[in-house]
Amino acid sequence: MADGNHLFSVQTSIEKGELVAVFGESGAGKTSLLRMIAGLMLPESGRIISEDDVWLDTQNKINLPVQKRNTGFVFQDLALFPNMSVLENLKYAAKGKSGTPDLSKLLRMVNLENLSHRKPATLSGGQQQRVALCRALAGKPELLLLDEPFSSLDMEMRRQLRDDLLRFHKEFHLTTLLVTHDLPDVYYLADKVIVLDRGEIVRSGTPAEVFGTGGIDNKIQIRGEILSIRERDMECIAEILCGSSIIRLPVAEEERKQLKPGMKVLVSSGVFEPVIKVLGC
Amino acid sequence: MSLSFEPIALSLELALITTVLLLIFGIPLAALLAFRSFRLKSVAEAVISLPLVLPPSVLGFYLLVAFSPGNFFGRFLDYWFDIRLVFSFPGLVIGSVIYSLPFMIHPLQAGFQSLPANLKEASYTLGKNRRQTLLYVLLPNIKPAILTGIVLTFAHTMGEFGVVLMIGGNLEGKTKVASIAIYDAVESLDYHSAHIYSLILLLISFGILLFTYRLNRKIFKPASRL
């Protein structure tokens, strides 16, 4: 794990056909979880069972090699093979496997058919991302694993790729596990979300359940991080970072004692009528 | 005195055979050193690098002793396989392979280590085994390192002197390679022949290096942009 010494202990199950997001701060163990499932990393002890196949059972000394687990893995930095063209990357993935999808159809679905003979290095970030997704699917995996797949892209590109991912997920009846620290990813894509913190699952459920908006009510809730708390004119003001904007809120003396800079908080308000104001398209 | 070009041909043949053999053995060995950790790895690395610092005469002397039919290893080869390596071309090949080992292993190992780890992992998750990954993913992406290994090994073997002299001696048409022919010519005050051999070796060495630099610039620079 990124910062070393935490214990890592996770127990969960995923239904076939679900799209599950693994959400958490960096260093929470998200990538480690994905690598253990793929077989790229060996936990000290544990069991991984896919339908009726045992992939890992440390007690009985079973460890199915990564090659036999039939997963499609999209790496954070994509790991496209620089020596192969787009189509060759896909062909390499499909080679020696049965029932693989039509590769040109795969590329057509994401508008890459005209670029199929280009080398990955000559493509844009979003295009490379789609090649990585197609390559992971070219081997007809049972389980698709994505490690922060959209982290290097701008908002517009992210939106398009989310759509592509959803389309693929449905078209190929995949079971998908997506590691992300981006809340919109979770909301747009996931049927279920698992929140990891320091190597443990702290919450799981539908995105609405987990992020506190289950049931419709008149509350506005914003998640943020306390930047500072300072006194001003007999009053105490907390500055809270929400997304990329800072909101300043007065806090009472009692509250003040509980709050410290760096804390993650949920700001909610139920007293006023919510007004949605369009800021621009 | 008529000049024989046999030593030049012999040098080229020795360099070619050594390079091919080292390429075949060097790739798996370099991959092993680059990707696996095992006990005594640093010992293995030190042994492979020894020819860089050891005087060639030391290596040549030990090989001479080992190959000699008077000793166990030489007697063993002689008795069971009817092979005598001292003062023979196959003996030269073995000496050259050992002597040039680091010149092939180091560039290949560095090449493998410079690749992002997840290229290998990506290939594994796509169901490909080690051999397929090595052939189709890893090797094609370290072409400049392979070329460097080939060129350094070839050029180093062409210029070899000490090891060759110790275990090969100076047998016309068998072990008299170009570098020894130059020494031999100077010994017998035949400066004319020494000049010609030296110039040919100089031109070959320069030509090989020039070719490599141009090839590296032309072909590999744009491709290795990742």
Side-chain angles (χ1 to χ4, degrees):
Chain A
M1 243 157 51
D3 60 346
N5 296 326
H6 297 303
L7 281 174
F8 184 89
S9 158
V10 164
Q11 183 168 12
T12 188
S13 65
I14 293 161
E15 295 293 318
K16 195 176 164 67
E18 262 185 333
L19 199 160
V20 178
V22 181
F23 181 84
E25 302 294 314
S26 52
K30 307 188 294 292
T31 299
S32 301
L33 178 64
L34 222 54
R35 291 174 62 81
M36 284 175 195
I37 294 172
L40 294 169
M41 197 172 155
L42 188 68
E44 260 173 46
S45 69
R47 267 167 15 120
I48 300 171
I49 294 165
S50 162
E51 293 188 79
D52 293 325
D53 298 332
V54 179
W55 283 2
L56 179 81
D57 187 342
T58 46
Q59 260 183 347
N60 295 313
K61 298 215 177 351
I62 297 171
N63 180 16
L64 199 66
V66 42
Q67 287 91 346
K68 300 218 166 116
R69 295 195 183 189
N70 199 17
T71 58
F73 201 115
V74 177
F75 290 81
Q76 192 170 4
D77 56 359
L78 309 182
L80 293 172
F81 305 131
N83 57 312
M84 302 181 198
S85 70
V86 169
L87 189 61
E88 283 165 349
N89 263 280
L90 269 59
K91 277 184 178 164
Y92 180 74
K95 197 168 63 183
K97 295 192 174 167
S98 56
T100 51
D102 179 354
L103 300 184
S104 36
K105 182 189 161 199
L106 212 55
L107 289 175
R108 211 163 34 244
M109 281 178 76
V110 289
N111 296 324
L112 282 175
E113 72 270 36
N114 295 330
L115 303 173
S116 65
H117 295 289
R118 295 260 292 265
K119 289 278 164 67
T122 65
L123 304 180
S124 73
Q127 290 164 340
Q128 291 186 16
Q129 193 62 261
R130 292 195 198 120
V131 177
L133 189 58
C134 289
R135 186 183 67 179
L137 295 176
K140 197 171 182 291
E142 287 171 41
L143 179 64
L144 180 63
L145 303 166
L146 304 112
D147 188 7
E148 305 264 9
F150 313 134
S151 58
S152 60
L153 303 172
D154 60 41
M155 288 310 287
E156 182 53 34
M157 213 65 237
R158 264 170 186 258
R159 211 155 31 211
Q160 285 183 23
L161 271 153
R162 279 185 202 129
D163 290 345
D164 289 335
L165 177 59
L166 267 186
R167 213 141 36 94
F168 280 133
H169 176 76
K170 288 189 180 126
E171 168 105 14
F172 296 106
H173 310 290
L174 296 162
T175 307
T176 304
L177 203 60
L178 165 83
V179 157
T180 182
H181 65 263
D182 184 49
L183 211 48
D185 279 351
V186 177
Y187 269 87
Y188 282 118
L189 294 169
D191 301 315
K192 181 181 160 186
V193 55
I194 294 170
V195 182
L196 273 187
D197 187 26
R198 288 171 218 183
E200 272 181 61
I201 296 181
V202 288
R203 272 169 297 165
S204 71
T206 65
E209 282 165 10
V210 167
F211 295 107
T213 48
I216 296 171
D217 57 23
N218 271 338
K219 269 189 190 163
I220 289 178
Q221 296 185 320
I222 308 166
R223 289 158 54 83
E225 181 184 331
I226 298 182
L227 294 176
S228 70
I229 300 164
R230 50 175 94 126
E231 312 269 345
R232 201 175 65 188
D233 305 335
M234 311 288 290
E235 208 176 24
C236 197
I237 303 283
E239 288 188 314
I240 301 169
L241 178 70
C242 299
S244 57
S245 51
I246 298 171
I247 51 177
R248 292 181 182 82
L249 292 173
V251 287
E253 197 65 30
E254 304 299 301
E255 277 179 305
R256 201 223 147 138
K257 285 175 192 151
Q258 298 170 17
L259 300 177
K260 261 188 280 179
M263 280 180 158
K264 303 272 184 298
V265 291
L266 185 70
V267 181
S268 64
S269 170
V271 287
F272 56 80
E273 287 289 311
V275 177
I276 297 174
K277 193 179 170 197
V278 177
L279 297 167
C281 296
Chain B
M1 189 185 268
S2 73
L3 186 76
S4 162
F5 286 100
E6 210 166 19
I8 302 283
L10 211 56
S11 273
L12 288 171
E13 192 185 342
L14 180 65
L16 190 69
I17 293 174
T18 303
T19 307
V20 170
L21 284 177
L22 270 179
L23 202 57
I24 294 168
F25 295 117
I27 287 172
L29 188 58
L32 186 78
L33 291 172
F35 300 130
R36 297 293 202 85
S37 53
F38 48 90
R39 258 156 51 99
L40 304 180
K41 183 174 169 178
S42 41
V43 176
E45 284 180 313
V47 168
I48 288 167
S49 302
L50 259 185
L52 288 177
V53 291
L54 212 58
S57 49
V58 173
L59 186 66
F61 173 68
Y62 281 128
L63 286 174
L64 180 67
V65 171
F67 292 164
S68 150
N71 285 313
F72 172 75
F73 183 65
R75 200 160 50 226
F76 170 81
L77 288 178
D78 194 7
Y79 186 82
W80 291 101
F81 301 101
D82 198 21
I83 295 173
R84 254 150 282 169
L85 291 174
V86 175
F87 306 127
S88 74
F89 188 73
L92 282 196
V93 171
I94 293 177
S96 299
V97 164
I98 295 172
Y99 187 50
S100 291
L101 196 58
F103 292 85
M104 182 62 86
I105 299 292
H106 286 170
L108 291 181
Q109 189 183 347
F112 281 133
Q113 281 167 343
S114 72
L115 289 177
N118 57 21
L119 282 187
K120 196 168 51 127
E121 292 178 340
S123 177
Y124 290 170
T125 62
L126 295 170
K128 304 296 179 273
N129 61 30
R130 285 216 181 89
R131 194 185 56 85
Q132 290 165 316
T133 304
L134 183 71
L135 281 182
Y136 300 114
V137 176
L138 303 179
L139 286 178
N141 286 311
I142 59 161
K143 278 184 203 148
I146 296 173
L147 185 71
T148 306
I150 289 174
V151 167
L152 285 180
T153 306
F154 192 89
H156 187 242
T157 311
M158 283 294 288
E160 192 175 310
F161 179 73
V163 177
V164 176
L165 187 66
M166 291 296 271
I167 57 178
N170 184 10
L171 300 177
E172 198 81 44
K174 277 172 82 183
T175 61
K176 187 178 183 178
V177 295
S179 56
I180 289 176
I182 294 168
Y183 178 73
D184 199 39
V186 173
E187 283 272 272
S188 51
L189 299 176
D190 178 6
Y191 277 52
H192 175 70
S193 299
H195 266 305
I196 293 175
Y197 287 138
S198 298
L199 187 64
I200 292 173
L201 273 195
L202 181 73
L203 290 179
I204 290 175
S205 306
F206 179 71
I208 290 170
L209 292 178
L210 189 67
F211 167 77
T212 314
Y213 281 118
R214 300 201 95 159
L215 197 67
N216 252 331
R217 183 151 313 147
K218 258 194 196 152
I219 299 177
F220 298 129
K221 277 284 148 58
S224 60
R225 201 155 57 92
L226 262 191

